[in-house]
Amino acid sequence: MHTKGDTMTISSLKQVYFKIPKIIRLLCAVLVLLTIFGACIHYIEPNQFKTIFDGVWWAFVTGATVGYGDFVPLSTTGRLLGIAIILSGGGLLAYYVSTLSATAIDRQTNKTHGHISFRGTGHIVFIGWNERTRQLIDMITVKNPPFKIVLIDQTLMERPKNYPHIHFIQGNPTMDTTLEKAHISAARRVLVTANTSESESHADNMTILTTLAVRGNHRDVPIVVEILTDNHIENATRAGANTIIRPNDFLSTLLYHELIHTPKTTPFENILQLLNHQHFEQISLSDPEQYSDFREAAKAYLNQDRILFGVIRDNQWIIHPKHSFAFKQHDILLLLTHWPKPNQPIY
């Protein structure tokens, strides 16, 4: 007679059993069934199958319909057992193989459609798919191929074509469940781009909400955001953005230079080539007496293949100061230097 405790134990075991992935349950069933058949043939024909392992080997070979012929049952009972293996174990083994194939296909399909969670660490998370994101991913792929990239977007239904190396997450980036799928807590950096298909104000609001969600899941990760309107810059800072990119300000200034520049100059191409081959660096000057003036510092950095072009003092940018410019405590030097070589890490 079963007691209440026995019933609860059986129910708990059932719950644990059905939580195990189907493919694992099938594999266990195949192993148990064919092992039983192998042990039975050993006891039926001990002279022909000298060990249980010989019987198990024969059971698996027979169930898989391979039939090497190294072990063959001689008795009628043994042959009937072989027929039972072919009818039961063989069918179960075939079902296991087909399920394994279907599982692999389903996983690849789910990964393509952004339903599989990312389990890596030290990755870069891009939020929002657009032409800027595509170009940036292309640049990182060429210059820093070891970087792992995770893309979050709710408008795409599947991973962008020709980008099999990125991990795609389909979903709303303001939701914790979506960010958890991207393993945001272990990310190296996060970039939130503006949705230019929406109005600028609405796009900025979504960017700020996304930034809040990211900061709530990872308090220390550097977040770079794209803000389209000036009146949302302060809100983005409050939300936790470390760097705010203002494309409208940059493009307006660049267009002004293109319209007003002196003849035979190409401001846009100059800046584009500069950013392709050089990157900016900021160094806090701990000892203002290290250099007597700007000229000496510029010469010292030039010997290191770095170009000193300005200073930040009390949040004021001083570009190309006079040669006699004297440094003060906590000045920040603005430098241009070559990009690291491919595969060289950037911190």
Side-chain angles (χ1 to χ4, degrees):
M1 183 176 179
H2 292 291
T3 64
K4 184 177 181 181
D6 294 334
T7 304
M8 291 182 63
T9 302
I10 294 172
S11 177
S12 300
L13 289 175
K14 285 183 179 179
Q15 290 180 4
V16 172
Y17 174 76
F18 285 108
K19 285 182 179 179
I20 299 174
K22 181 180 180 181
I23 194 69
I24 302 298
R25 285 185 275 137
L26 276 175
L27 178 60
C28 291
V30 169
L31 292 173
V32 170
L33 182 63
L34 294 182
T35 299
I36 292 173
F37 277 126
C40 290
I41 195 65
H42 165 68
Y43 289 111
I44 292 171
E45 298 189 22
N47 294 328
Q48 185 71 1
F49 300 87
K50 298 184 182 300
T51 66
I52 292 179
F53 181 76
D54 290 341
V56 173
W57 167 255
W58 169 79
F60 272 90
V61 169
T62 303
T65 67
V66 176
Y68 286 120
D70 49 352
F71 293 99
V72 179
L74 301 179
S75 65
T76 301
T77 305
R79 290 174 179 175
L80 289 174
L81 187 64
I83 294 173
I85 292 175
I86 294 172
L87 293 177
S88 58
L92 186 61
L93 191 60
Y95 182 54
Y96 166 73
V97 173
S98 62
T99 303
L100 183 63
S101 301
T103 301
I105 293 172
D106 287 344
R107 179 175 176 79
Q108 185 59 39
T109 301
N110 288 332
K111 189 173 182 180
T112 300
H113 289 84
H115 303 317
I116 300 295
S117 298
F118 180 77
R119 298 301 180 191
T121 60
H123 51 294
I124 299 178
V125 178
F126 290 85
I127 299 179
W129 175 255
N130 48 50
E131 183 62 17
R132 297 181 304 285
T133 306
R134 185 193 66 77
Q135 292 182 357
L136 185 53
I137 290 176
D138 287 341
M139 293 176 66
I140 291 177
T141 302
V142 172
K143 295 178 181 295
N144 303 92
F147 277 10
K148 293 168 286 187
I149 297 173
V150 176
L151 171 66
I152 301 176
D153 190 272
Q154 63 180 337
T155 60
L156 293 175
M157 293 297 104
E158 62 180 29
R159 181 176 56 203
K161 294 181 179 179
N162 303 322
Y163 291 90
H165 59 288
I166 69 174
H167 191 104
F168 171 56
I169 301 294
Q170 204 284 334
N172 187 341
T174 65
M175 303 295 292
D176 288 344
T177 52
T178 303
L179 297 176
E180 287 168 2
K181 284 184 178 180
H183 206 187
I184 203 79
S185 60
R188 176 196 293 251
R189 289 185 179 95
V190 177
L191 171 65
V192 184
T193 60
N195 184 359
T196 53
S197 64
E198 302 283 352
S199 66
E200 291 186 344
S201 180
H202 184 269
D204 284 347
N205 286 332
M206 286 301 300
T207 297
I208 292 168
L209 284 175
T210 301
T211 304
L212 278 170
V214 171
R215 184 57 70 207
N217 283 270
H218 193 337
R219 59 183 298 179
D220 298 320
V221 66
I223 305 175
V224 180
V225 303
E226 184 181 29
I227 292 295
L228 302 178
T229 56
D230 290 343
N231 56 332
H232 282 103
I233 292 175
E234 189 174 346
N235 290 332
T237 303
R238 291 198 195 102
N242 299 94
T243 303
I244 297 175
I245 305 299
R246 307 187 303 277
N248 288 342
D249 293 351
F250 176 76
L251 287 175
S252 296
T253 303
L254 190 57
L255 288 171
Y256 172 78
H257 279 268
E258 284 288 348
L259 291 171
I260 311 300
H261 68 71
T262 56
K264 298 183 179 180
T265 60
T266 55
F268 177 78
E269 290 299 329
N270 292 344
I271 293 176
L272 186 62
Q273 293 302 319
L274 173 66
L275 296 179
N276 277 334
H277 295 90
Q278 303 275 327
H279 74 98
F280 295 103
E281 188 176 2
Q282 295 182 195
I283 299 178
S284 180
L285 190 63
S286 57
D287 182 9
E289 297 181 359
Q290 184 177 356
Y291 305 108
S292 60
D293 52 28
F294 186 84
R295 182 200 296 270
E296 182 182 345
K299 185 177 180 181
Y301 281 109
L302 192 60
N303 291 332
Q304 303 174 19
D305 292 329
R306 298 148 98 185
I307 300 174
L308 176 64
F309 66 91
V311 177
I312 301 177
R313 175 178 293 173
D314 299 328
N315 294 323
Q316 297 295 319
W317 293 65
I318 306 172
I319 304 300
H320 193 52
K322 295 181 179 180
H323 291 168
S324 58
F325 179 87
F327 296 107
K328 292 184 178 180
Q329 189 77 19
H330 305 305
D331 279 352
I332 298 176
L333 306 184
L334 301 174
L335 302 162
L336 272 175
T337 184
H338 292 288
W339 280 106
K341 296 179 181 179
N343 301 324
Q344 183 177 343
I346 299 177
Y347 299 100

